[in-house]
Amino acid sequence: MLKKKFDKSKLPSRHVTEGPARAPHRSYYYAMGISEEEIAQPFIGVATCWNEAAPCNIALNRQAQAVKLGVKEGFGTPREFTTITVTDGIAMGHEGMRSSLASREAIADTVELTMRGHCYDAIVGLAGCDKSLPGMMMAMVRLNVPSVFIYGGSIMPGRYKGQDVTVQDVFEAVGRHQAGQNSDEELRALEKVACPSAGACGGQFTANTMACVSEAIGLALLNSSGAPAPYESRDAYATASGLAVMNLLEKNIRARDVVTRKSLENAARVVACTGGSTNAGLHLPAIAHEAGIDFDLFDVCDIFRDTPYFVDLKPGGKYVAKDLYEVGGVPVVMKELRKAGLLHEDCMTASGETIGEALDKIEGVADGRVIYPIETPITKTGGVVGLKGNLAPEGAIVKVAGMSEAEQVFTGPARVFECEEDAFEAVKARTYKEGEVLVIRNEGPRSGPGMREMLATTAALSGQGMGKKVALITDGRFSGATRGFCVGHVGPESAMGGPIGKLRDGDMITIDAIKGEISVDLTDEELKAREYIPRETIYSSGALWKYAQLVGSTRLGAVTHPGAREEKHVYADL
């Protein structure tokens, strides 16, 4: 078979493979069994977030081998490398969660440094857990090389007492256990069966939300995110992704040709209609930042506001990622959006086709059970809503999927906590009252530091049957598995002088997700007159200190560098 010839004169790998001066570099490649012919081919980074921390990442190294087969089939030379992952399911509910959002930046940074240091020409990135998906996509857009993303796949649902269960059910069972509603033995039996395989959390939590985003934004091949991690069919998508990146390289289609304002809007539509994680309101602006595109939390929420919610997924609905895959997956969801004129069809994708051209090949239709027809949605507006008001001048976000309109308006007195642990102890001891608005501050990107998720607290409330009887607001985040009236990303955060830092017990707070408002019953003068000194953190050195010094506003994605608007070169053109 004749080898395809790529012109390496303008590719980054020429710096490490071409000419007499690179003889020492080539000797390293020969040491690894790479042939002269392979050295002359483009070098493709195959980046994974594999580790043994959790089931979401455990299958990524196997899938990477299938990607490498595709790269080789397309006449490229794959070079596999790994980066870190912090898995939220393990980090949740304790100090470890401070590392989660910071890990998104570390993933993007380390992938960038590896690609730059070794002069790779393109990338296929595999990721499995919450922050690793946006972190990998951010690196792709930052480098602006031909890029294909592939999700490691979701976990299979567990079975308990004849019902499908997920890790969300275990978190909520902790709340029931604290309330004396289930025994030690019942909790132990559930925890042993809830997570039966490799793969990321099965509901439309952050990992699956961002996996859907990867297809909708165009960085992943259509339907590649759907098959659960244990399915051997994932290998076919992995191999196809390796081939696809070689096609993009040949055509010089780069990540920023794919990630545009229009494709970001497509991605936000898919988050909204699937009742996806509020964390998308943080990650989409961060991805946009890498491309120099203005697309902040308010832009995301504008799209959420006028997008119907029509895919019935946990935590607000009934089904998990495996069920969505079995009825056609993200492509069928996007076909429904297209029917209503809510999709930009001219956006480029990882296949080298536009999204419209790729969807024309999809035969599936809405099944009416998991994916409702867009003409008869579950609700007429998206499952995630943006809020703004005197309590959150820079915005906030709440997931309302599965809530009735009556449940989307809440007024009550503030009960203020200075950190998540204090709130969790109050919930565990049931010292809070029905009708209160629990306020957790000092948990923002800077004040935390790290913007922790509050799943342990919110799941305990749900487990106690109080999820709809109190509201909760924070300058931190919520897990994609959170349900109940929980408002996150309140900005500015307490460390930045935000009004959330000035609240006192008893202040009357109103949250209106129908109007998109969040306010406290105080005048501007009363708020201004109050003083608040943010709680001092114990993180005065190390990675989290560094993160806190650099991190910016939640509204803009909590990013840590100036982004594409300030860059003076593009890596791929050096």
Side-chain angles (χ1 to χ4, degrees), residues 101-102 105 445-446 449-450 542-551 558 560:
L101 186 57
E105 312 310 302
R446 182 172 298 183
L544 288 172
W545 173 86
K546 189 189 300 183
Y547 177 80
Q549 307 313 303
L550 295 171
V551 72
T560 56

Side-chain angles (χ1 to χ4, degrees), residues 423-500:
F424 184 72
E425 287 303 315
V427 171
K428 194 164 75 170
R430 305 199 70 154
T431 55
Y432 66 96
K433 296 176 183 175
E434 183 176 328
E436 288 183 327
V437 178
L438 310 185
V439 178
I440 306 177
R441 61 191 177 201
N442 296 306
E443 295 290 4
R446 182 172 298 183
S447 56
M451 204 180 183
R452 288 192 293 179
E453 293 182 352
M454 308 291 156
L455 181 59
T457 301
T458 60
L461 286 168
S462 292
Q464 292 175 5
M466 297 295 286
K468 294 181 179 179
K469 296 176 182 176
V470 295
L472 198 157
I473 70 170
T474 180
D475 50 9
R477 296 181 296 119
F478 290 113
S479 164
T482 291
R483 56 179 176 164
F485 210 2
C486 300
V487 179
H489 304 200
V490 171
E493 61 173 295
S494 54
M496 301 292 283
I500 191 170

Side-chain angles (χ1 to χ4, degrees), residues 31-89:
M32 294 182 283
I34 301 175
S35 69
E36 186 173 358
E37 190 175 51
E38 289 169 320
I39 291 171
Q41 295 178 160
F43 278 25
I44 312 302
V46 178
T48 83
C49 297
W50 177 86
N51 63 26
E52 294 183 332
C56 22
N57 314 308
I58 203 72
L60 294 177
N61 59 345
R62 183 185 67 79
Q63 293 184 35
Q65 308 319 306
V67 170
K68 288 156 73 175
L69 292 175
V71 170
K72 289 179 180 179
E73 192 177 332
F75 309 110
T77 300
R79 307 314 300 148
E80 183 180 353
F81 65 93
T82 60
T83 184
I84 70 159
T85 317
V86 172
T87 295
D88 287 13

